Amino acid sequence: MKLYILYQTDHYKTKTSRIFFGIFDCRCKALDSAKYNGLYAQNAKVIVEEVTINQFEEV
């Protein structure tokens, strides 16, 4: 199962400048939420990070 984490960051995209905005079940919902909340700006970027959960792996 894949989830998508929505962040807003500065134009350098450093991890210390990330602001968390939510977790979504599909990328299009995350992008729609970013547009609705006005996260796109001239000095800010939107990052949608894909994460996989419930995956069994042997080490």
Side-chain angles (χ1 to χ4, degrees):
M1 179 176 193
K2 296 191 184 219
L3 294 177
Y4 299 89
I5 303 173
L6 176 63
Y7 297 106
Q8 183 185 38
T9 185
D10 62 1
H11 60 278
Y12 296 114
K13 296 184 181 178
T14 59
K15 288 188 178 183
T16 57
S17 66
R18 287 184 179 181
I19 301 171
F20 171 77
F21 278 97
I23 299 175
F24 300 89
D25 60 350
C26 71
R27 183 179 295 275
C28 63
K29 286 183 184 178
L31 295 175
D32 287 344
S33 177
K35 289 176 188 175
Y36 179 77
N37 291 310
L39 300 182
Y40 291 101
Q42 191 173 30
N43 296 330
K45 301 290 182 187
V46 172
I47 296 175
V48 178
E49 185 177 337
E50 181 179 319
V51 293
T52 304
I53 62 170
N54 298 336
Q55 181 177 357
F56 177 76
E57 292 182 12
E58 290 189 28
V59 181

